[in-house]
Amino acid sequence: MSGDDAIQLQSGRESAGTHPSCDMQGATADQALEARLVRQSLEGDLDAFGRLVALHRSRVFSMLVQIVRNEEDAWDIAQEGFVKAWRALHTFKGDSAFFTWLFRIMRNLAIDHLRKRERRAETRLDEAYPGEAAGASPAASPAKHTDSPDERAWQSEIASRIDKALGELSDEHREVIVLRELHGLDYNEIASVMGCSVGTVMSRLFYARKKLQNLLRDLYENL
Amino acid sequence: MKTFEQLYFQAIDGTLDEADRAAFEAAMAQRGINPSEIARERAFSQLLIREARRPTLRHADFFSSSVMERIRREAARDGAQAVSRSRGFQWSRLPAWARLAWGGAASLAMAVALTLALRPHDHAGSQRLTTRIFSLHEFAAGMSATAISSPVSHYAVVWTDGIEYIPAETRIQ
């Protein structure tokens, strides 16, 4: 595998603001590349695993921040998750996408983290989550960079409202919204990541959306 | 039979086929949901996709190098452990016959050690000395003698009771 392949794929995955479901072209080629990198990693090629990390780090981090709502925690979980993935790589059978398998590991760590944090009764997530100030950015299209300051302020306000509303959802509801609505995983992938049936995923998503719509009623009703 | 939620999301995703459409519209009517709701649901999805913040990983290269450093450390440690394991004796890695042989040898060694440890001491020397003492003196009811000797350390100890003295010409060997 050439380094260029990985860089091309990396740039596709790492570009912020694109919905993954829009990035399905070349999925088969991506999977073939991933399969090759996984095989090389299993043979002890650390550089190949490094390329897998580079391919998925941004998406993993983004999803983790949205689930645990704290960037430092998400960083630590992602680090731990990649090390754990390296150790468990021999258990990856290729019957699901590598990202799905990888994110299942990350998700389990995130859930453990959330449970520990609940037990410690830490500060509410949305208070700790630094949001845009710490580097988060609205999933804006390139055209948005030309928006007027008023429009940008309004978009920032909407993004803050969505953040706050996500923080008020239960962990399970927030997780399913993040995976489906913000990152475009399909229902089977979400079921695999969350370790439940597709029916349960849809049921959770249905109620999570209703809750979110209630929290964002004023925005939602102006749609 | 698909659940209402399954049909609902198929409708939002635009993947509802004709066969399911009638069932879905009936379920919508039964629940009092306006068909225009689906269009609003789609718009809501678009709002989330468009406006929700996407946290960006800053210092991505540092992130990667940090992960890979941890993995390299682990790989080096695992490698060292594997080498030490391969050099050392590992019971679980022995074949069954070898384990049987080792077990038998160990049992035999233990049996020999126990036999030696529990073997009664050889008091022949003591008996001989006692006999010689007795042979020098007439037996009396109030007389008793006990003797031990160690051929290794070259000593002999005699306890007598009821004998006033041992004649000077008697040599105990």
Side-chain angles (χ1 to χ4, degrees), chain B residues 101-139:
Chain B
W102 272 104
S107 301
L108 188 63
M110 282 187 69
V112 169
L114 277 172
T115 305
L116 288 173
L118 299 176
R119 189 182 61 170
H121 290 291
D122 180 12
H123 294 297
S126 308
Q127 289 296 324
R128 189 171 61 249
L129 295 174
T130 308
T131 302
R132 290 188 64 184
I133 291 166
F134 287 160
S135 69
L136 292 171
H137 299 274
E138 286 183 5
F139 177 77

Side-chain angles (χ1 to χ4, degrees), chain B residues 19-114:
Chain B
D20 291 331
R21 189 175 300 281
F24 178 61
E25 284 172 359
M28 294 263 284
Q30 195 180 2
R31 289 165 187 252
I33 300 173
N34 193 314
S36 66
E37 189 72 14
I38 296 302
R40 286 165 59 80
E41 290 284 356
R42 284 183 190 146
F44 183 68
S45 291
Q46 288 304 312
L47 173 80
L48 294 177
I49 291 167
R50 194 176 60 244
E51 304 294 352
R53 283 184 181 135
R54 288 187 198 286
T56 51
L57 177 62
R58 290 169 298 158
H59 315 298
D61 289 338
F62 174 67
F63 177 90
S64 276
S65 64
S66 176
V67 168
M68 296 313 296
E69 180 54 34
R70 285 179 64 178
I71 290 174
R72 277 194 188 91
R73 274 205 306 269
E74 281 212 4
R77 196 178 58 219
D78 291 349
Q81 283 175 352
V83 168
S84 74
R85 273 199 301 272
S86 68
R87 283 177 183 165
F89 178 82
Q90 249 193 320
W91 179 257
S92 60
R93 290 173 64 187
L94 288 177
W97 65 266
R99 270 185 274 179
L100 197 64
W102 272 104
S107 301
L108 188 63
M110 282 187 69
V112 169
L114 277 172

